[in-house]
Amino acid sequence: MSNTIGNKFKITLFGESHSDSIGAVIEGIPAGIVIDFNKTKFEMDRRRPGKSDISTSRNEIDDVKILSGYFNDKTTGSPISITIKNENMKSKDYSKLIQNMRPSHADYPAKIKFNGYNDYRGGGAFSGRLTAPIVFAGAIAKQILKKKNIFIGSHISSIKNIKDDNFNELEIKTELLEKLRKEKIPTINNEIAIKMENEILEYKKNGDSVGGIVEATIINLPIGLGEPIFDSFESKLAHMLFSIPGLKGVEFGKGFEVSQMIGSDANDEYYYDEFKNIKTYSNNNGGILGGLTTSMPVIFKVAFKPTPSISIKQRTINLETEENVELKIKGRHDPCIVPRALVVVEAVAAIVTLDFLLESGIYYG
Amino acid sequence: MSNTIGNKFKITLFGESHSDSIGAVIEGIPAGIVIDFNKTKFEMDRRRPGKSDISTSRNEIDDVKILSGYFNDKTTGSPISITIKNENMKSKDYSKLIQNMRPSHADYPAKIKFNGYNDYRGGGAFSGRLTAPIVFAGAIAKQILKKKNIFIGSHISSIKNIKDDNFNELEIKTELLEKLRKEKIPTINNEIAIKMENEILEYKKNGDSVGGIVEATIINLPIGLGEPIFDSFESKLAHMLFSIPGLKGVEFGKGFEVSQMIGSDANDEYYYDEFKNIKTYSNNNGGILGGLTTSMPVIFKVAFKPTPSISIKQRTINLETEENVELKIKGRHDPCIVPRALVVVEAVAAIVTLDFLLESGIYYG
Amino acid sequence: MSNTIGNKFKITLFGESHSDSIGAVIEGIPAGIVIDFNKTKFEMDRRRPGKSDISTSRNEIDDVKILSGYFNDKTTGSPISITIKNENMKSKDYSKLIQNMRPSHADYPAKIKFNGYNDYRGGGAFSGRLTAPIVFAGAIAKQILKKKNIFIGSHISSIKNIKDDNFNELEIKTELLEKLRKEKIPTINNEIAIKMENEILEYKKNGDSVGGIVEATIINLPIGLGEPIFDSFESKLAHMLFSIPGLKGVEFGKGFEVSQMIGSDANDEYYYDEFKNIKTYSNNNGGILGGLTTSMPVIFKVAFKPTPSISIKQRTINLETEENVELKIKGRHDPCIVPRALVVVEAVAAIVTLDFLLESGIYYG
Amino acid sequence: MSNTIGNKFKITLFGESHSDSIGAVIEGIPAGIVIDFNKTKFEMDRRRPGKSDISTSRNEIDDVKILSGYFNDKTTGSPISITIKNENMKSKDYSKLIQNMRPSHADYPAKIKFNGYNDYRGGGAFSGRLTAPIVFAGAIAKQILKKKNIFIGSHISSIKNIKDDNFNELEIKTELLEKLRKEKIPTINNEIAIKMENEILEYKKNGDSVGGIVEATIINLPIGLGEPIFDSFESKLAHMLFSIPGLKGVEFGKGFEVSQMIGSDANDEYYYDEFKNIKTYSNNNGGILGGLTTSMPVIFKVAFKPTPSISIKQRTINLETEENVELKIKGRHDPCIVPRALVVVEAVAAIVTLDFLLESGIYYG
């Protein structure tokens, strides 16, 4: 296991779905920062399950307890460490799963890797629950980035085949990002949200699940963030994004689509605008060239698979009896993880961006 | 800049397109390994430009000089360090580019990041030329992996809109991978290769360029490679892949497509075959669950943008005069980078896989 | 701040002397290990203050709470995370210290580094209290090392000018290490312990403090642990040792004394004993050559300064008034930190050794 | 092997004593720096053997070739990579050593660690020759530090029992450091140098060797450098110091001596001087408190063992015949490594200090 990430802004996660607690040690926050805990709670609530009929009915409170690093209402420069109690767990739900491997979950390779000693309950260390402290760390990062006028936001680009509009690649307003942040199903085109919700509920009815795509953006970045060759902006962001459970693809700018273009169309040509600001006529590269930010909006998309926990009968194996069996997963599960995972995507973007900013020395400037 | 990557199998790259040499320090190769230098040369030649009319006419010899770490025809356990002389450079070609920023190249953000001191000739440290030592390190990694029966291969999945067949997700034969390795335009469906070549030549005629997609695979992996939460197999592989110039998207298994599926279709159900081997009916997850390898073929796709260097007139800025200008890039450039980049993709896959293997302790077993 | 250390066996510390809790995230413990919590408690008690009149009268309970990574009485392979509640704190004792810098404490440079926002109470993040979770992690490491027959032990080599005998450099019995572990003032020569205790009490009477030296050993190590050039066995061990508060010197084998010798005396000559075991006639190098373990006992000494907290009047500065002032530190302090610090030295040795062992792949063999 | 060190200013070493070349990749040098190659050559010459009768008669030219990272007479921001050709090697000298283990050298544990495949010629990767690129990197670091008014210097504190005066712990003039830099045997008390030289020559006559101690200093450091808990200034400096061959002890300030003091004498009391500068009456802590620099001179001592290569007959083992044998090492060796190792100690101090400075963000300020 490797539970630590980041260079200057460093996160160490711990915990399993059904252990006493989960939590994080968050290193590298500059001293003297006032944290707005209403905002961290707001972000935690966005990710929290049990809020509506499109997410799991598990009701996790996600009360974050600060153990250190905060004194006289300011950060001390020493790590902020947090715990979140695991409550409302139904460990018995998982007792039958010990030997019956849930398809498309980590159960089988994890059992082999850890010689059967891993905590299998609720997915153990592989549970999406571990993303809660990521969201908390991301909420702090967002507040620090905001002091530098950097904003992060996202919307659901698609649920199954239902597509929302794309971000305007040339200019994204903070107002739009603020609006999206408050929505249950954040979309640029509001009518699409209703269609998406209905689609999710439709498949939920059958005990099935659906996947989708999140489009996210980081705006007002300084030029030159990124540490190529090997720590390009894309590399470090993709690295952490691919630790979000269920995420199977990452593309920047036009991504896979740009592979079907020709150079004369794909290239983002430069011009000086009337105020002598440097701009590009297009942003097919998603605000990143040579692994460095260009000051255009960083835009990326990530693909989530349908939640693997479905209540429809599935074929699988029983490792004890070594027989083919059928499995019907009970418990309370998200029919679609995308509306909650989107909050994690934003948190990851905030964490990685702050890490680059602190590394660059610009933050201190 | 961050020029080092890897934990146990660690690569440190150095050099710029027009510096005296480029090279790498390759740490972590176990002692006592015999390197087949015909095979490393074979891989270097696959990536080398100037071989055919679909790649740049620059003729780089890419003679690799071993400086250390090899004694009595075996590795010593100390780093293998290599240099590759930069020759056949036409530095004058780039003299006009100092102030005229080439669209979709790293020129502009690099100039800002390094206060104008970066070596701009030939893309400097951002040049695709830096992938040559990656290919060499990858060729060594492939040889070591082969001792554990692990094979890596790839084909061109698409050039612009022309698509090849996909790998069989359930079983990929080493014979196929061996065959692909020898082809100029490696495709599963041979007729497609001809169409792709014609498409590239068609756009080359106009001084334009095209993009494409590479599909790659790693077969016969042990179960459980990967170090989640933050060093999942996908995370580390995507991290290094995104340091390949021009790469804009990475997806594992069905990737973005799986986001349009429903859980009951997307899940990879398990079964025991007649020999009590554990298999899945599908491989939508591309051989990775919870960030761990499952022993099914690891399959991933990466998207490359069209080469940004085109000889068609483009709009850009002159940073000295602060005026909008027109730019026509001369020099010798690849009309399509995909056939050469594919070799780098394989090398990266080999390097990351070997690093995981050495980390796991399995290699020593 | 940098609160994470280790490659495979990795410790992330958090907390401040007067924050809610302190604790650690301990990564890299193999799955399936049964932890003997009597033994971890035994080690915690050895370090715990308030046991006797030669240590501070602060009574810290040091109850360790396990939050994750332990399931069905075995490690899961996921990090063990722990918290220790901060209790019996007298924060008021420190209120006057905000502006009056305690001599030879971290107060002054810490205040400058963190712009005055650091938690100054009880030394904050620089408190010796942070060594409690190190001792816990070390106690786990010791148990795992014992399975490989590796033992760690130490004694007080000197308190002020009172010197104990040295370890036998050629052979150290586990029985001796077991005996030392149980002593309040661990010495090879028992009469020395009494003299040392009297010396400490003598200076305590005056509100003064004394320093001393710890000699430690690691026995039965395999040959070749260490990763030179830069991660020599000495390098990594010294690195972590120098994070113990009050530690000002580290030497291996004869250390500073060997610098006064001549080569023909200093060299450790080899011989085969009657059973064809390879041995040396001396062990001036302390079991390490070229940064690699030789299988002879690793022996090292570390020097601790006298506790800087004394109740004798001292001259210092007041940063607010910018005046020279006098300071008399109240509160409960150790007249000599050595008997407690010795436990931390052993823990650090265990942690670093296990990290090397896991890295070497030998553990898995 | 672990050949990379540093966070922002990062060095990757490669090569073996008798491989084609040795060298380094030096990452993290800010762009736009003019390197004075006369100064790097001056430092290389200080370390170079063959200059006088107190060092080995091997005549290494140590011509450093720059391969990358330097363009238009300035650093580019991309790594500086260098090679130094191995010449004037007498590989045959070592042919008998394959099976006869040289006492107190790395030969034996290295042979075991690398299963006999390590390059044993001239000590291979464990040779002191590998410190040449460290000195080069240190010479660059010194030049950058000088821009911030930070100076590093050292003298020989002792050769065997002959002791030089100590640095004035309260104030060290740059003039003194400049003077010391130019001396063959740098001492504060000039008469001592002559005695030391005679002592070395005396033991050289017999084919024996002597050890000694280096005292080094870093002056004009800003307050607060260091990243405790685990990357204290002492920790990172000691870490890299212990990778210098033959170094067996490191102490800061009064070091082992302070362990014999009492708190009221050992504590460094503060005062405001007449210009309201903050000073201390003593500097027993060597300019570091809580792992952070205090702005007082950083002072540390390191102990070197006598060169293990002596031409006096020694007892050892032959691994092939498994018999006890006698060994007489031929070849050209330093009767005392201290005068050359001192240059490496300074280089390491410069490298680690610059790394801390770049990490702190102060450099960019």
Side-chain angles (χ1 to χ4, degrees):
Chain A
M1 298 287 291
S2 183
N3 284 42
T4 301
I5 198 162
N7 294 328
K8 297 284 273 189
F9 186 61
K10 196 184 285 186
I11 315 288
T12 301
L13 284 194
F14 59 85
E16 287 132 323
S17 184
H18 290 223
S19 62
D20 177 86
S21 317
I22 59 172
V25 184
I26 308 167
E27 299 180 57
I29 307 174
I33 300 273
V34 179
I35 298 175
D36 183 337
F37 289 107
N38 287 323
K39 287 193 179 156
T40 57
K41 188 179 183 322
F42 178 75
E43 295 288 321
M44 294 297 283
D45 283 346
R46 286 177 77 203
R47 192 212 74 96
R48 191 166 58 81
K51 295 166 307 184
S52 73
D53 48 7
I54 59 161
S55 73
T56 168
S57 61
R58 289 193 315 274
N59 199 334
E60 301 170 3
I61 300 299
D62 288 352
D63 268 342
V64 174
K65 186 170 178 193
I66 310 283
L67 302 184
S68 70
Y70 209 67
F71 173 55
N72 284 342
D73 296 324
K74 292 197 186 65
T75 56
T76 64
S78 185
I80 295 259
S81 56
I82 60 164
T83 52
I84 305 170
K85 194 86 183 163
N86 281 327
E87 287 169 323
N88 192 21
M89 304 172 294
K90 301 199 175 174
S91 295
K92 283 177 208 157
D93 287 359
Y94 297 94
S95 56
K96 288 178 195 161
L97 299 175
I98 309 180
Q99 301 300 339
N100 289 354
M101 301 293 96
R102 294 175 301 168
S104 289
H105 270 284
D107 298 6
Y108 173 56
K111 196 179 180 80
I112 301 298
K113 184 179 185 73
F114 299 111
N115 293 317
Y117 295 114
N118 61 305
D119 184 349
Y120 52 81
R121 297 169 302 168
F126 296 86
S127 166
R129 177 143 177 74
L130 269 291
T131 60
I134 292 178
V135 168
F136 182 82
I140 294 177
K142 278 181 176 178
Q143 295 179 36
I144 300 175
L145 291 172
K146 199 180 169 182
K147 292 176 195 290
K148 299 285 168 182
N149 201 33
I150 297 168
F151 293 88
I152 286 162
S154 66
H155 70 107
I156 300 181
S157 175
S158 65
I159 292 292
K160 210 169 167 287
N161 303 317
I162 302 168
K163 288 191 166 58
D164 189 22
D165 302 337
N166 280 334
F167 276 129
N168 175 345
E169 69 192 42
L170 296 178
E171 192 183 9
I172 301 169
K173 309 266 192 203
T174 54
E175 291 73 27
L176 172 61
L177 304 184
E178 289 297 342
K179 179 191 92 73
L180 290 169
R181 188 163 293 152
K182 291 168 195 146
E183 293 175 4
K184 189 170 81 171
I185 298 192
T187 47
I188 294 173
N189 180 335
N190 287 337
E191 290 169 26
I192 295 293
I194 299 163
K195 287 188 188 165
M196 286 177 172
E197 179 159 11
N198 289 337
E199 188 83 352
I200 295 171
L201 293 175
E202 185 65 26
Y203 284 96
K204 182 188 181 187
K205 228 185 293 175
N206 309 329
D208 214 328
S209 65
V210 292
I213 293 173
V214 171
E215 186 185 38
T217 188
I218 315 167
I219 58 172
N220 303 331
L221 286 171
I223 305 177
L225 286 193
E227 300 296 334
I229 296 175
F230 292 123
D231 284 346
S232 72
F233 200 91
E234 289 127 318
S235 284
K236 279 187 58 170
L237 186 42
H239 188 135
M240 193 166 175
L241 285 169
F242 272 116
S243 51
I244 304 175
L247 193 151
K248 298 301 285 187
V250 172
E251 61 179 10
F252 291 87
K254 289 289 183 299
F256 280 87
E257 199 183 321
V258 85
S259 73
Q260 302 193 12
M261 294 171 76
I262 59 175
S264 53
D265 289 337
N267 282 1
D268 298 320
E269 296 177 295
Y270 294 102
Y271 68 99
Y272 283 106
D273 73 5
E274 49 186 329
F275 309 106
K276 286 291 177 196
N277 293 318
I278 294 167
K279 296 195 170 160
T280 51
Y281 290 106
S282 55
N283 185 14
N284 294 319
N285 284 286
I288 305 172
L289 287 174
L292 302 174
T293 56
T294 65
S295 84
M296 293 298 285
V298 164
I299 299 177
F300 61 97
K301 284 185 178 165
V302 295
F304 287 97
K305 67 181 184 185
T307 322
S309 290
I310 55 176
S311 55
I312 292 172
K313 198 185 290 178
Q314 296 182 82
R315 294 170 291 178
T316 192
I317 50 172
N318 182 297
L319 288 181
E320 198 175 35
T321 62
E322 296 201 340
E323 283 177 348
N324 293 318
V325 294
E326 288 189 334
L327 171 74
K328 216 173 151 179
I329 301 176
K330 285 170 194 167
R332 301 151 296 169
H333 304 287
D334 293 272
C336 180
I337 201 68
V338 179
R340 293 175 59 209
L342 164 154
V343 188
V344 185
V345 170
E346 289 184 14
V348 164
I351 288 166
V352 173
T353 301
L354 181 57
D355 194 29
F356 273 121
L357 203 67
L358 292 171
E359 275 233 273
S360 74
I362 292 173
Y363 183 80
Y364 305 95
Chain B
M1 299 287 291
S2 182
N3 283 42
T4 301
I5 197 162
N7 294 328
K8 297 285 272 189
F9 187 60
K10 196 184 286 186
I11 317 287
T12 301
L13 285 193
F14 58 85
E16 288 131 324
S17 184
H18 291 221
S19 62
D20 177 85
S21 317
I22 59 171
V25 184
I26 308 167
E27 300 179 56
I29 307 175
I33 301 274
V34 178
I35 298 175
D36 183 336
F37 289 107
N38 288 322
K39 287 194 179 157
T40 57
K41 189 179 182 324
F42 177 76
E43 293 290 319
M44 294 299 282
D45 283 344
R46 287 178 75 204
R47 192 213 73 97
R48 192 166 57 81
K51 295 165 305 181
S52 73
D53 50 6
I54 60 162
S55 73
T56 169
S57 61
R58 288 193 314 275
N59 200 335
E60 301 170 4
I61 301 299
D62 288 352
D63 267 343
V64 175
K65 186 171 178 194
I66 310 282
L67 303 184
S68 70
Y70 208 67
F71 173 56
N72 283 342
D73 295 324
K74 292 199 186 64
T75 57
T76 64
S78 186
I80 296 259
S81 55
I82 59 163
T83 52
I84 305 170
K85 195 88 182 161
N86 281 328
E87 287 169 322
N88 190 21
M89 305 173 294
K90 300 201 174 173
S91 295
K92 283 176 208 157
D93 288 359
Y94 297 94
S95 57
K96 289 180 194 161
L97 297 175
I98 309 179
Q99 300 300 339
N100 289 354
M101 301 292 96
R102 293 175 302 169
S104 290
H105 270 285
D107 298 6
Y108 174 55
K111 196 179 179 78
I112 300 298
K113 184 178 185 73
F114 298 110
N115 294 316
Y117 295 114
N118 60 306
D119 184 348
Y120 52 82
R121 297 169 301 168
F126 296 86
S127 167
R129 177 142 178 75
L130 269 291
T131 60
I134 293 178
V135 168
F136 183 83
I140 295 176
K142 278 182 176 177
Q143 294 179 37
I144 300 175
L145 291 171
K146 198 178 170 184
K147 292 175 196 289
K148 300 285 168 181
N149 201 33
I150 297 168
F151 294 88
I152 287 162
S154 66
H155 69 107
I156 300 183
S157 175
S158 65
I159 293 291
K160 210 169 166 288
N161 303 317
I162 301 167
K163 289 191 166 57
D164 188 24
D165 302 336
N166 281 332
F167 276 129
N168 175 345
E169 68 191 43
L170 296 179
E171 192 183 11
I172 301 169
K173 308 267 192 201
T174 55
E175 291 73 25
L176 173 60
L177 303 184
E178 289 297 341
K179 179 192 91 74
L180 290 169
R181 189 163 293 154
K182 291 167 194 147
E183 294 174 4
K184 188 169 84 170
I185 298 192
T187 48
I188 294 173
N189 180 335
N190 288 339
E191 291 168 25
I192 294 293
I194 299 162
K195 287 188 187 165
M196 287 177 172
E197 180 160 9
N198 290 337
E199 187 83 351
I200 295 172
L201 292 174
E202 184 66 26
Y203 284 96
K204 183 188 179 186
K205 229 186 292 175
N206 309 328
D208 214 328
S209 64
V210 292
I213 293 173
V214 171
E215 186 184 40
T217 187
I218 315 166
I219 59 172
N220 302 332
L221 287 170
I223 305 177
L225 286 194
E227 298 296 333
I229 295 175
F230 292 123
D231 284 346
S232 73
F233 200 91
E234 290 127 320
S235 284
K236 279 188 60 170
L237 186 42
H239 187 135
M240 194 165 176
L241 286 169
F242 271 117
S243 52
I244 304 176
L247 193 152
K248 299 301 285 185
V250 172
E251 63 179 10
F252 291 88
K254 290 289 183 301
F256 280 87
E257 200 182 320
V258 85
S259 73
Q260 301 191 14
M261 294 171 77
I262 59 175
S264 53
D265 289 338
N267 283 0
D268 297 321
E269 295 177 294
Y270 294 103
Y271 69 98
Y272 283 106
D273 73 6
E274 50 186 328
F275 308 107
K276 286 292 177 194
N277 293 316
I278 293 167
K279 296 195 171 161
T280 52
Y281 290 106
S282 55
N283 186 14
N284 294 317
N285 284 286
I288 306 171
L289 287 175
L292 302 174
T293 55
T294 64
S295 84
M296 292 297 285
V298 164
I299 299 176
F300 61 97
K301 284 184 178 164
V302 296
F304 286 97
K305 67 181 184 185
T307 322
S309 290
I310 54 176
S311 55
I312 293 171
K313 199 185 289 177
Q314 296 182 81
R315 293 169 293 179
T316 191
I317 49 173
N318 181 297
L319 288 181
E320 197 174 34
T321 63
E322 295 201 341
E323 283 176 347
N324 293 318
V325 295
E326 288 190 334
L327 171 74
K328 216 172 150 179
I329 301 175
K330 285 170 192 165
R332 302 152 295 169
H333 303 288
D334 292 273
C336 181
I337 200 67
V338 179
R340 293 175 58 209
L342 165 153
V343 188
V344 185
V345 169
E346 289 183 16
V348 163
I351 289 166
V352 172
T353 301
L354 180 58
D355 195 30
F356 272 121
L357 203 67
L358 292 172
E359 274 233 272
S360 73
I362 292 172
Y363 183 80
Y364 306 95
Chain C
M1 300 285 292
S2 181
N3 285 42
T4 301
I5 198 162
N7 293 329
K8 297 284 274 189
F9 187 59
K10 195 183 286 185
I11 316 288
T12 301
L13 285 193
F14 59 84
E16 288 132 322
S17 184
H18 290 222
S19 62
D20 177 86
S21 318
I22 59 172
V25 183
I26 308 166
E27 299 179 57
I29 307 173
I33 301 273
V34 178
I35 298 176
D36 182 335
F37 289 107
N38 288 322
K39 288 193 178 156
T40 58
K41 188 177 183 322
F42 177 75
E43 294 288 320
M44 293 298 284
D45 283 345
R46 287 177 76 203
R47 192 212 73 96
R48 192 166 57 82
K51 296 165 306 184
S52 74
D53 48 7
I54 60 161
S55 72
T56 169
S57 61
R58 288 193 315 273
N59 199 335
E60 301 170 5
I61 300 300
D62 288 353
D63 267 343
V64 174
K65 186 170 178 194
I66 309 282
L67 303 183
S68 69
Y70 209 66
F71 172 56
N72 282 342
D73 296 324
K74 292 198 187 65
T75 57
T76 63
S78 185
I80 295 261
S81 55
I82 60 164
T83 53
I84 304 169
K85 193 87 184 162
N86 281 328
E87 286 169 324
N88 191 22
M89 304 173 294
K90 301 199 174 174
S91 296
K92 282 177 209 158
D93 287 0
Y94 296 94
S95 56
K96 287 179 195 161
L97 297 175
I98 308 180
Q99 301 300 338
N100 290 354
M101 301 293 96
R102 293 175 303 168
S104 290
H105 269 285
D107 297 6
Y108 173 54
K111 196 179 178 79
I112 300 298
K113 184 179 184 73
F114 299 110
N115 294 316
Y117 295 114
N118 60 306
D119 184 349
Y120 52 82
R121 296 169 302 167
F126 296 85
S127 168
R129 177 142 178 74
L130 269 291
T131 60
I134 292 177
V135 168
F136 182 83
I140 294 177
K142 277 182 176 176
Q143 295 179 36
I144 300 175
L145 291 171
K146 199 179 168 183
K147 292 175 195 290
K148 300 285 168 180
N149 200 33
I150 298 168
F151 294 88
I152 287 163
S154 66
H155 69 106
I156 300 183
S157 175
S158 66
I159 292 292
K160 210 169 164 290
N161 303 317
I162 302 167
K163 288 191 165 58
D164 190 22
D165 302 335
N166 281 333
F167 276 129
N168 175 346
E169 68 192 42
L170 296 178
E171 191 183 10
I172 301 168
K173 309 267 192 201
T174 54
E175 291 72 26
L176 173 60
L177 304 184
E178 289 297 343
K179 178 191 93 73
L180 291 169
R181 188 164 293 152
K182 290 169 195 146
E183 294 175 3
K184 187 169 83 171
I185 299 191
T187 47
I188 293 172
N189 181 334
N190 287 337
E191 291 169 25
I192 294 294
I194 299 162
K195 288 189 187 166
M196 287 178 172
E197 179 160 11
N198 289 338
E199 187 82 351
I200 295 171
L201 292 175
E202 186 66 25
Y203 284 95
K204 182 188 179 185
K205 229 187 291 175
N206 308 329
D208 215 328
S209 64
V210 292
I213 293 174
V214 171
E215 186 183 40
T217 188
I218 314 167
I219 58 172
N220 303 333
L221 286 171
I223 305 176
L225 284 195
E227 299 296 333
I229 296 174
F230 292 122
D231 284 346
S232 73
F233 199 90
E234 291 128 319
S235 284
K236 279 188 60 170
L237 186 43
H239 188 135
M240 194 165 176
L241 286 169
F242 272 116
S243 52
I244 303 176
L247 193 151
K248 298 302 284 186
V250 172
E251 62 179 11
F252 291 87
K254 289 290 183 299
F256 280 87
E257 200 182 321
V258 86
S259 73
Q260 302 191 13
M261 295 171 77
I262 58 174
S264 53
D265 288 338
N267 282 359
D268 298 320
E269 297 176 295
Y270 293 102
Y271 69 99
Y272 283 106
D273 73 6
E274 50 186 328
F275 309 108
K276 286 291 178 195
N277 293 317
I278 294 167
K279 295 194 171 162
T280 52
Y281 291 106
S282 56
N283 186 14
N284 294 318
N285 285 286
I288 305 172
L289 288 174
L292 302 175
T293 56
T294 65
S295 84
M296 293 296 286
V298 164
I299 299 177
F300 61 97
K301 283 185 179 164
V302 296
F304 286 96
K305 67 181 184 184
T307 323
S309 290
I310 55 176
S311 56
I312 292 171
K313 199 184 289 179
Q314 296 182 82
R315 294 169 291 179
T316 193
I317 50 173
N318 181 298
L319 288 181
E320 197 174 35
T321 63
E322 295 201 341
E323 283 176 347
N324 293 318
V325 295
E326 288 190 332
L327 171 75
K328 217 172 150 179
I329 301 176
K330 285 171 193 165
R332 302 151 295 170
H333 303 288
D334 293 273
C336 180
I337 200 67
V338 179
R340 293 175 58 210
L342 165 153
V343 189
V344 185
V345 170
E346 289 183 15
V348 164
I351 289 166
V352 173
T353 301
L354 180 56
D355 195 29
F356 273 121
L357 203 67
L358 292 172
E359 275 233 273
S360 73
I362 292 173
Y363 183 80
Y364 306 95
Chain D
M1 299 287 289
S2 182
N3 283 43
T4 301
I5 198 162
N7 294 328
K8 297 284 273 190
F9 187 60
K10 196 183 285 186
I11 316 288
T12 301
L13 285 193
F14 60 84
E16 288 131 324
S17 184
H18 290 222
S19 61
D20 176 86
S21 318
I22 59 170
V25 184
I26 309 166
E27 299 179 56
I29 307 174
I33 301 273
V34 178
I35 298 176
D36 183 336
F37 289 107
N38 288 322
K39 288 194 178 155
T40 58
K41 188 178 182 323
F42 177 76
E43 294 288 320
M44 294 298 284
D45 283 345
R46 288 177 75 203
R47 192 212 74 97
R48 193 165 56 83
K51 296 165 305 184
S52 73
D53 50 6
I54 60 160
S55 72
T56 169
S57 61
R58 287 193 315 273
N59 199 334
E60 300 171 4
I61 301 298
D62 288 352
D63 268 342
V64 174
K65 186 170 178 195
I66 309 283
L67 302 184
S68 69
Y70 208 66
F71 172 56
N72 283 341
D73 295 324
K74 292 198 186 66
T75 55
T76 63
S78 186
I80 295 261
S81 56
I82 60 164
T83 52
I84 304 170
K85 193 86 183 162
N86 281 329
E87 286 168 324
N88 191 21
M89 305 172 293
K90 301 199 175 173
S91 295
K92 282 176 207 156
D93 287 0
Y94 297 94
S95 56
K96 288 179 194 160
L97 298 175
I98 308 179
Q99 300 301 338
N100 289 355
M101 301 294 97
R102 294 175 302 169
S104 289
H105 269 285
D107 299 7
Y108 173 55
K111 197 178 178 80
I112 301 298
K113 184 178 184 73
F114 299 110
N115 293 317
Y117 296 114
N118 60 305
D119 184 349
Y120 51 81
R121 297 169 301 167
F126 296 86
S127 167
R129 178 143 178 75
L130 270 291
T131 60
I134 292 178
V135 168
F136 182 83
I140 294 177
K142 277 181 175 177
Q143 295 179 36
I144 300 175
L145 291 171
K146 199 180 170 183
K147 293 175 194 289
K148 300 284 167 182
N149 201 33
I150 297 168
F151 294 88
I152 287 162
S154 67
H155 69 108
I156 300 183
S157 176
S158 66
I159 292 291
K160 212 170 165 288
N161 303 318
I162 302 167
K163 288 192 166 57
D164 188 23
D165 301 336
N166 280 335
F167 276 129
N168 175 345
E169 69 191 42
L170 296 178
E171 191 182 10
I172 301 168
K173 308 268 192 202
T174 54
E175 291 73 26
L176 173 60
L177 303 184
E178 289 297 341
K179 180 190 91 71
L180 290 169
R181 189 163 294 153
K182 292 169 195 145
E183 294 174 2
K184 188 170 82 171
I185 298 192
T187 48
I188 293 173
N189 181 334
N190 287 338
E191 291 168 26
I192 294 293
I194 300 163
K195 287 189 188 164
M196 287 178 173
E197 180 158 10
N198 289 337
E199 187 82 352
I200 295 171
L201 293 175
E202 186 65 26
Y203 284 96
K204 183 187 179 185
K205 228 184 296 176
N206 309 329
D208 215 329
S209 63
V210 291
I213 293 174
V214 171
E215 186 184 39
T217 187
I218 315 166
I219 58 172
N220 302 333
L221 286 171
I223 305 176
L225 285 194
E227 299 296 333
I229 295 175
F230 292 121
D231 284 345
S232 74
F233 199 90
E234 290 127 319
S235 284
K236 278 187 61 171
L237 186 42
H239 187 134
M240 195 166 174
L241 286 169
F242 272 116
S243 51
I244 303 176
L247 193 151
K248 298 303 284 186
V250 172
E251 62 179 9
F252 291 87
K254 289 290 183 298
F256 279 87
E257 199 183 320
V258 85
S259 73
Q260 301 192 15
M261 295 172 76
I262 58 174
S264 53
D265 289 337
N267 282 0
D268 298 320
E269 296 176 295
Y270 293 102
Y271 69 100
Y272 283 105
D273 73 6
E274 49 186 331
F275 309 106
K276 286 292 177 195
N277 293 318
I278 294 167
K279 296 194 170 161
T280 52
Y281 290 105
S282 56
N283 186 14
N284 294 318
N285 284 286
I288 306 172
L289 288 174
L292 301 175
T293 56
T294 65
S295 84
M296 292 298 285
V298 164
I299 299 177
F300 62 97
K301 284 185 178 164
V302 296
F304 286 96
K305 66 181 185 185
T307 322
S309 289
I310 55 177
S311 55
I312 293 171
K313 198 185 290 178
Q314 296 182 81
R315 294 169 292 180
T316 192
I317 49 173
N318 181 297
L319 288 181
E320 198 174 34
T321 62
E322 295 201 341
E323 283 177 347
N324 294 318
V325 294
E326 288 189 333
L327 171 75
K328 216 173 151 178
I329 301 176
K330 285 171 193 165
R332 301 152 297 169
H333 303 287
D334 293 272
C336 180
I337 199 68
V338 179
R340 294 175 59 209
L342 165 153
V343 188
V344 185
V345 170
E346 289 183 16
V348 163
I351 289 166
V352 173
T353 302
L354 181 57
D355 194 29
F356 273 122
L357 203 67
L358 292 172
E359 274 234 274
S360 74
I362 292 172
Y363 183 80
Y364 305 94

